[in-house]
Amino acid sequence: MELDSFQEEALQALSGAKDSKALELLRVKYLGRKGALTERFAALKDPAQSPAEKSRLGQQLNEVKRRLEEALAERTVSLQTGPVPSRPKQDLTLPGHVPQAGRLHPLSQTLERILEIFQSLGFPAVQGPEVETEFNNFEALNIPAEHPSRENFDTFYLKTAVGTAPALLRSHTSPVQIRFMKSHPPPFQVVVPGRVYRPDAVDATHCFQFHQVEGLAVAPGLTFGDLKGVLASWAQGMFGSSARLRFRPHHFPFTEPSAEGDLACIFCSGSGCRVCGRKGWLEILGCGMVHPQVFKAVGYPAGTVGFAFGMGVERIAMLLHGVEDIRLFYENDLRFLRQFP
Ligand code: DAH
């Protein structure tokens, strides 16, 4: 045991020698002719020991000597050449870890494309809050309480303190028209992307939450022809140069006249198929000339003219990609999402 700790001490000293001079002193101390190990070999001559003991001790001493000489040689080399570089901890021949790259959700991709085209037509995007007042979501848009059209824009109400104005989740992006007009004088033209809410039962084409893009242009002399031109150009940018739109009379409280815009079916080019229900047309937006009541609600002078439109992002994404169930957009199923690089 004593020999073990001697060996340990000597090995540590040798391998830790600061320079060759210190190493030489250690060599003399341990392995020199009068060194510590030599002294131990001398003990072999002690007549009190049996031959068996002598032979065992001799073997042990020789082993210690071999190790010390080895350590001495190693340290001699390492002091000359610097530290031996440690072996690399990684096996560079193994295949690498490919990082999982994210990508935009198909709805975001669709929305970006919609906005990009409007941007190129001179319509920058602005936004408004998802929590709205009844005034902005309904009254100012000419949807009075008790009027049957209010049902179409039914929404979720939020709990508010008694005596304060009711707050709700906006059921369309149209209230941002009101906000924008209240803070900007014409002329302008903007689009408004955003999330909207309706208490609809969830099925293949409905969800309690979805996305719209609203458009609003107010400037002297604007006509329904301008509205058609803007939307037709947008449709061609979105669906290809052969895209055709038709405008069908409709009713919205906040526009007069109002229309729904139908896209000639992009699957059958208008001849009728399963997607368009054999009609040849796909309803994709609502639009019209802004109702004078709306301008009045924001304090614009009589005689102001402008047009507005609104479209659903999910609906357009479903058409673009042939997605048949709106729920796929919200389930975070990577097997679905990975199909939109
Ligand atoms: N706000 C309507 C909706 O949610 C869409 C709409 C129709 C917006 C006609 C408009 C418009 O600005 O002119 O169904």
Side-chain angles (χ1 to χ4, degrees), residues 213-275:
V213 174
E214 186 87 11
L216 177 66
V218 182
L222 281 182
T223 67
F224 203 94
D226 295 312
L227 168 60
K228 287 175 76 173
V230 165
L231 290 176
S233 301
W234 169 78
Q236 289 181 353
M238 196 75 203
F239 299 102
S241 53
S242 58
R244 275 181 302 135
L245 275 186
R246 77 172 179 186
F247 293 83
R248 189 165 34 77
H250 197 75
H251 171 262
F252 293 107
F254 29 88
T255 41
E256 181 60 35
S258 305
E260 273 191 335
D262 298 337
L263 177 71
C265 182
I266 48 176
F267 297 98
C268 63
S269 311
S271 60
C273 69
R274 197 170 57 88
V275 181

Side-chain angles (χ1 to χ4, degrees), residues 189-321:
Q189 46 190 32
V190 290
V191 282
V192 187
R195 192 172 295 165
V196 302
Y197 301 83
R198 290 192 196 170
D200 284 342
V202 177
D203 64 22
T205 53
H206 295 87
C207 188
F208 49 83
Q209 168 212 288
F210 56 102
H211 299 80
Q212 288 186 332
V213 174
E214 186 87 11
L216 177 66
V218 182
L222 281 182
T223 67
F224 203 94
D226 295 312
L227 168 60
K228 287 175 76 173
V230 165
L231 290 176
S233 301
W234 169 78
Q236 289 181 353
M238 196 75 203
F239 299 102
S241 53
S242 58
R244 275 181 302 135
L245 275 186
R246 77 172 179 186
F247 293 83
R248 189 165 34 77
H250 197 75
H251 171 262
F252 293 107
F254 29 88
T255 41
E256 181 60 35
S258 305
E260 273 191 335
D262 298 337
L263 177 71
C265 182
I266 48 176
F267 297 98
C268 63
S269 311
S271 60
C273 69
R274 197 170 57 88
V275 181
C276 59
R278 319 245 161 261
K279 292 200 274 272
W281 295 94
L282 302 159
E283 180 194 316
I284 60 160
L285 55 87
C287 62
M289 301 307 290
V290 178
H291 198 293
Q293 282 298 120
V294 176
F295 286 140
K296 196 170 161 196
V298 298
Y300 277 7
T304 305
V305 289
F307 63 76
F309 55 85
M311 55 183 71
V313 179
E314 277 79 352
R315 166 95 171 127
I316 291 169
M318 288 169 84
L319 287 176
L320 274 178
H321 300 293

Side-chain angles (χ1 to χ4, degrees), residues 6 39 48 53 62 65-66 119 129-130 143 189 207 210 235 240 244 281 308 336:
F6 165 75
E39 269 173 28
E53 270 175 332
N62 277 322
K65 188 178 175 201
R66 193 188 62 73
Q119 173 81 42
E130 290 172 26
I143 315 173
Q189 46 190 32
C207 188
F210 56 102
R244 275 181 302 135
W281 295 94
F336 173 72

Side-chain angles (χ1 to χ4, degrees), residues 2-10 30 36-37 40 64 68:
E2 190 274 334
L3 192 55
D4 282 347
S5 55
F6 165 75
Q7 172 182 288
E8 192 54 34
E9 177 209 301
Y30 295 119
L37 198 63
R40 281 159 206 265
V64 173
L68 296 195

